[in-house]
């Protein structure tokens, strides 16, 4: 990515919001383009400022972070930001729901400053920000419930056999380079498969693809997928 990473910070706790803003403003290569104290304000500012990354608190007044994430990612145009949800607990149904809504990952509010900055750069670069072991813990707790309720029935039949295999490997936590090595393909070809399967399934983020892989039964909790 060329130029500074444009970041919007949304948190109803003024002290946390001010700390994140100060940290980002002191960091070369990042630019704070807005601050929001609730989800509705975050949606409005995202449309106005067109950030690259939104740091989104989950629990906020007026409009919560999950609903705000959905509205932001349902926007029109080619420039949709990547949303990172902020939470106090790493095993939280709110986090799982946010990933299903299209968030690219999550951050714990008590992470060291250097890890928060690294995370912003990771997300801005297009990568997922959920460690595979944490993804599996979230899925273990919530995905089977979604399958039982019939929520996991994404349109996997629209995918080609190769796209289905790539989705399974995305669900296992592999990155594009690892998938390319596993399938003996070029990384560019893998990127094309990922882009196409996400378009067919109406997904906004790689994290969302991981959730779909588990909810559909393509990957199974407590098993190697």
């Amino acid at each position: 990515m060329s130029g500074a990473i444009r970041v919007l910070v949304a948190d109803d706790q003024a002290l946390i919001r001010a700390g994140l803003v100060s940290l980002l403003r002191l960091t070369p290569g990042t630019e704070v383009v807005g601050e929001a104290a609730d989800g509705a304000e975050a949606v409005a500012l995202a449309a106005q400022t067109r950030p690259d990354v939104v740091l989104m608190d989950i629990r906020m007044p007026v409009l919560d972070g999950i609903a705000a994430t959905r509205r932001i990612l349902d926007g029109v145009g080619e420039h949709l930001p990547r949303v990172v949800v902020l939470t106090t607990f790493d095993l939280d149904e709110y986090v799982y729901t946010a990933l299903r809504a299209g968030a690219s990952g999550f951050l714990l509010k008590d992470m060291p400053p250097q890890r928060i900055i690294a995370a912003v750069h990771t997300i801005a670069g297009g990568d997922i920000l959920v460690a595979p072991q944490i993804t599996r813990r979230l899925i273990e707790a919530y995905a089977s419930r979604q399958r039982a309720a019939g929520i996991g029935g994404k349109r996997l039949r629209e995918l080609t056999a190769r796209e289905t295999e790539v989705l399974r490997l995305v669900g296992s936590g592999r990155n594009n380079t690892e998938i390319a090595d596993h399938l003996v393909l070029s990384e560019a070809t893998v990127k094309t498969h990922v882009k196409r399967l996400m378009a067919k399934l109406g997904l906004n983020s790689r994290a969302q693809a991981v959730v779909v892989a588990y909810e559909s039964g393509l990957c199974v909790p407590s098993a190697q997928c």
Side-chain angles (χ1 to χ4, degrees), residues 61-91:
V62 184
L63 189 70
D64 65 41
I66 295 170
T69 294
R70 287 196 184 100
R71 292 191 187 183
I72 289 171
L73 296 179
D74 282 343
V76 295
E78 294 184 0
H79 186 91
L80 289 178
R82 298 183 182 277
V83 178
V84 183
V85 297
L86 301 170
T87 183
T88 306
F89 304 104
D90 62 354
L91 187 58

Side-chain angles (χ1 to χ4, degrees), residues 69 73 83-85 95 98-105 204-208:
T69 294
L73 296 179
V83 178
V84 183
V85 297
V95 173
L99 296 178
R100 291 185 74 245
S104 293
N204 294 308
S205 75
R206 195 178 185 95
Q208 205 175 19

Side-chain angles (χ1 to χ4, degrees), residues 43-163:
V43 173
L45 283 174
Q48 177 185 337
T49 63
R50 298 171 62 82
D52 301 307
V53 175
V54 179
L55 297 182
M56 179 79 76
D57 186 22
I58 287 185
R59 306 182 189 190
M60 291 188 291
V62 184
L63 189 70
D64 65 41
I66 295 170
T69 294
R70 287 196 184 100
R71 292 191 187 183
I72 289 171
L73 296 179
D74 282 343
V76 295
E78 294 184 0
H79 186 91
L80 289 178
R82 298 183 182 277
V83 178
V84 183
V85 297
L86 301 170
T87 183
T88 306
F89 304 104
D90 62 354
L91 187 58
D92 187 331
E93 186 166 7
Y94 284 96
V95 173
Y96 178 81
T97 306
L99 296 178
R100 291 185 74 245
S104 293
F106 70 88
L107 286 175
L108 297 178
K109 290 186 178 182
D110 61 357
M111 276 187 171
Q114 64 270 23
R115 290 192 62 188
I116 293 175
I117 294 301
V120 168
H121 283 267
T122 295
I123 287 296
D127 291 330
I128 189 173
L129 190 64
V130 186
Q133 65 271 24
I134 295 177
T135 298
R136 292 193 180 99
R137 286 170 57 203
L138 288 166
I139 296 297
E140 185 79 41
Y142 303 113
S144 58
R145 183 189 313 170
Q146 302 299 319
R147 285 201 305 275
I151 296 174
K154 294 288 184 179
R155 301 177 301 278
L156 296 191
R157 61 181 176 274
E158 295 183 10
L159 304 183
T160 65
R162 178 63 82 187
E163 289 166 351

